Amino acid sequence: MEIVYRPYFDPEFDTLIERIHPPRVSIDNDTCRDCTLVKVDSANKHGILLEMVQVLTDLDLVISKSYISSDGGWFMDVFHVTDQLGNKITDESLILYIEQAICATRRGSKEVRTSLGREVRPPHVSKERTALEITGTDRPGLLSEISAVIAELECHVAAAVLWTHNTRLACIIYMEDDCKGGTVAGVNQVAHVQAQLENVLEAHHREGEKRSVRVTAPEAGRTHTERRLHQLMAGDRDYEECCSSSSGGGGRRQQGRYRDGIKVTIDYCKERGYSEVNVRCRDRPKLLFDTVCTLTDMQYVVFHAAISSKGPIAIQEYFIRHMDGCTMDSESERRRVAQCLTSAIERRVSHGLRLDICTDNRLGLLSDITRAFRENGLSITRAEIGTHGEKAVGSFYITDASGQDVDRDVVEMVRREVGGTVTVVNESPGRSPQTTTRSIITSKSSNVVEGQSNVVQVRPRFSLGTLLWSQLERISGNFRTIKS
């Protein structure tokens, strides 16, 4: 037998720089009158920007501006943040949580997340439950049929998130075995659940249409739920036919004008050797997360970026390269990036009437709620539901079967059938972060970090980025786009 010798690489070497220079986080409430500055500098690594944005958005903080720089192997960023009411972040426990959570994302520490007095969002359920991932063609009543099968198999829904876009659907459902408790882990049980749900999807799919049902066991490193939804929908190619694009500038520029006021342009910045991506659209919560998530999952590195909001309009400017160091030189690549960014922005835009539901948690609850919608001719365009103690709390965006506004008499019938507390929220698409109503399964900021007293304070450490903070603060305060 031939013996092959290979060089040995210590797996700890990849994280050596991060351990020598872990992220330094500074919370500044003095520089700006109307917002808190969250400053981060760290050794650079692919995906670090997304991790930082994810921490802030999971806490429902509004990012109004940001300046990003990551040249030379070092990452620096300034986030201008407020709470949902437009106030500064002054709660000491919340500030401590932000500092600890951002550092924990690079060190792999679990202390911060396990110290929370509650779950921040359904994305964190993914570490404890069996996950069911479904993609396919959207149609009225599909979620009702799926949840009915799950209830029939005596599996309890701990949380569920559903997005629809461009006739496609992506859904992640976290399940428990209601009989035995814990996860749905048996091989035969998992296969049975998957087979039954595949039958539901196949019953209404035309030949050649894509569909997928995947059951995954709990694992510590599972992808953040909303990032995974973006991945599922992009993998299902929901971005196709979402916009019409035209190119200009001799093939060096890709420009798209899309519905809902979304505009994405891509240029080649010759003097700097970057592809320049400009996004202009209506501002809304989690917009930055959605665009950064898309660029990261498409294997692009953000070297510089400027993010700002002008009234109801958000402007994002990115200077990027692919991970292999190349820029977007082909028209087809620029078109695909523009389409994917547009779809990422559209997926979370709210269509339909929002119903907030709070009721006692029980087996088959999701099936009962969605059956009430289906029997009254309503269609779900987006949904998010989870458990909060003994209660189930969720939000559903609904239209009639043709996609039109819902008759209020029908809503009253649904309210009576569902039981518990059902609140109608008038929320128009693309609502600005300052006027967006409360988020589900989330307490006020002052209660976010109960039980946080055992977390060790992070002491400021010197890093190479410290020398550049004065310049970065000046740029951030006198904010303009990079190109200007």
Side-chain angles (χ1 to χ4, degrees):
M1 183 176 66
E2 182 181 0
I3 299 177
V4 179
Y5 295 94
R6 294 184 176 87
Y8 171 75
F9 292 97
D10 189 335
E12 295 292 319
F13 182 76
D14 287 339
T15 60
L16 178 62
I17 299 300
E18 295 176 50
R19 286 183 281 117
I20 294 175
H21 297 291
R24 175 179 175 269
V25 183
S26 173
I27 310 296
D28 178 4
N29 271 315
D30 299 325
T31 302
C32 290
R33 179 178 56 84
D34 56 353
C35 68
T36 298
L37 301 186
V38 179
K39 310 171 187 178
V40 184
D41 69 277
S42 166
N44 192 24
K45 187 175 182 179
H46 182 62
I48 184 173
L49 174 60
L50 178 59
E51 291 178 2
M52 307 306 173
V53 173
Q54 181 178 300
V55 168
L56 298 176
T57 55
D58 278 349
L59 291 170
D60 287 325
L61 299 180
V62 177
I63 303 173
S64 58
K65 293 181 183 179
S66 182
Y67 186 86
I68 299 153
S69 179
S70 64
D71 261 347
W74 201 259
F75 172 89
M76 294 185 296
D77 194 0
V78 176
F79 297 101
H80 293 229
V81 302
T82 64
D83 63 17
Q84 291 285 315
L85 299 177
N87 302 318
K88 288 186 176 184
I89 311 303
T90 57
D91 185 271
E92 291 296 331
S93 58
L94 180 56
I95 290 174
L96 177 60
Y97 173 74
I98 293 171
E99 293 173 341
Q100 292 282 12
I102 289 179
C103 291
T105 61
R106 309 308 303 156
R107 296 197 306 268
S109 173
K110 298 180 181 179
E111 288 87 350
V112 173
R113 287 168 184 169
T114 56
S115 69
L116 287 173
R118 59 162 183 83
E119 292 171 313
V120 175
R121 278 291 180 124
H124 296 274
V125 181
S126 61
K127 296 179 174 61
E128 304 170 4
R129 310 296 181 191
T130 301
L132 173 66
E133 300 177 349
I134 301 172
T135 60
T137 302
D138 183 32
R139 59 177 173 79
L142 180 58
L143 181 59
S144 176
E145 295 179 22
I146 291 171
S147 55
V149 170
I150 294 173
E152 182 68 24
L153 296 174
E154 296 187 327
C155 295
H156 175 63
V157 175
V161 187
L162 174 142
W163 287 357
T164 62
H165 176 249
N166 200 25
T167 74
R168 310 302 298 170
L169 168 145
C171 180
I172 299 179
I173 299 174
Y174 297 105
M175 302 182 299
E176 298 175 308
D177 188 328
D178 190 65
C179 296
K180 301 177 182 178
T183 61
V184 182
V187 175
N188 293 334
Q189 186 180 14
V190 167
H192 185 54
V193 171
Q194 187 163 338
Q196 293 298 313
L197 291 172
E198 285 175 347
N199 290 336
V200 171
L201 265 67
E202 186 176 4
H204 295 274
H205 273 66
R206 293 187 293 271
E207 185 176 353
E209 286 185 332
K210 293 187 295 182
R211 59 189 181 276
S212 172
V213 179
R214 180 170 175 259
V215 182
T216 59
E219 53 190 48
R222 178 171 287 158
T223 305
H224 184 278
T225 299
E226 292 175 347
R227 182 179 182 183
R228 184 59 183 152
L229 284 168
H230 278 301
Q231 293 173 349
L232 290 173
M233 299 214 79
D236 207 27
R237 304 178 74 88
D238 74 315
Y239 55 83
E240 293 182 341
E241 301 178 2
C242 74
C243 60
S244 58
S245 301
S246 59
S247 61
R252 305 301 289 174
R253 176 183 177 92
Q254 183 69 35
Q255 176 170 308
R257 297 182 184 276
Y258 312 100
R259 62 179 181 265
D260 296 329
I262 304 171
K263 181 178 179 181
V264 180
T265 60
I266 300 176
D267 289 298
Y268 176 63
C269 185
K270 183 177 181 180
E271 63 276 12
R272 301 185 185 183
Y274 300 120
S275 292
E276 180 187 350
V277 179
N278 286 278
V279 178
R280 183 184 178 92
C281 64
R282 187 184 297 274
D283 195 16
R284 61 163 175 76
K286 296 200 172 186
L287 178 63
L288 181 59
F289 173 86
D290 295 336
T291 53
V292 170
C293 180
T294 299
L295 292 173
T296 302
D297 285 337
M298 295 183 76
Q299 303 298 302
Y300 289 101
V301 179
V302 176
F303 287 90
H304 300 279
I307 314 298
S308 65
S309 300
K310 295 183 178 180
I313 302 300
I315 300 173
Q316 301 181 347
E317 183 182 35
Y318 299 99
F319 288 84
I320 66 173
R321 297 191 194 111
H322 198 270
M323 284 191 66
D324 60 11
C326 297
T327 55
M328 286 180 267
D329 295 326
S330 69
E331 182 178 344
S332 60
E333 184 181 9
R334 292 191 293 273
R335 181 185 301 112
R336 186 170 69 91
V337 171
Q339 289 177 330
C340 288
L341 284 171
T342 302
S343 290
I345 295 169
E346 290 179 337
R347 286 168 194 149
R348 207 191 291 267
V349 173
S350 306
H351 296 286
L353 184 69
R354 172 176 159 183
L355 295 183
D356 286 353
I357 295 175
C358 178
T359 187
D360 293 334
N361 189 26
R362 64 180 186 274
L363 176 66
L365 175 62
L366 182 61
S367 176
D368 295 340
I369 293 174
T370 53
R371 184 179 67 249
F373 290 152
R374 184 188 65 195
E375 291 176 348
N376 286 279
L378 303 179
S379 181
I380 301 171
T381 61
R382 188 158 67 91
E384 183 175 0
I385 188 169
T387 56
H388 188 63
E390 297 298 320
K391 295 291 184 178
V393 186
S395 291
F396 295 84
Y397 292 85
I398 57 173
T399 65
D400 65 16
S402 61
Q404 302 302 312
D405 292 340
V406 179
D407 186 274
R408 290 307 178 101
D409 292 335
V410 176
V411 173
E412 288 301 319
M413 294 175 62
V414 170
R415 292 175 65 171
R416 289 194 294 269
E417 292 182 36
V418 170
T421 302
V422 180
T423 305
V424 178
V425 182
N426 290 314
E427 185 175 80
S428 58
R431 198 167 185 171
S432 65
Q434 288 76 11
T435 58
T436 301
T437 55
R438 67 189 183 282
S439 299
I440 66 166
I441 322 173
T442 307
S443 304
K444 293 182 180 179
S445 298
S446 60
N447 297 324
V448 167
V449 284
E450 293 179 7
Q452 196 72 5
S453 57
N454 294 328
V455 180
V456 179
Q457 175 76 40
V458 176
R459 296 181 180 178
R461 297 184 57 176
F462 174 78
S463 72
L464 298 178
T466 306
L467 302 177
L468 301 177
W469 271 120
S470 59
Q471 281 294 97
L472 193 57
E473 290 174 20
R474 181 182 63 80
I475 295 173
S476 179
N478 187 21
F479 208 86
R480 287 189 278 177
T481 59
I482 295 173
K483 191 172 182 180
S484 61

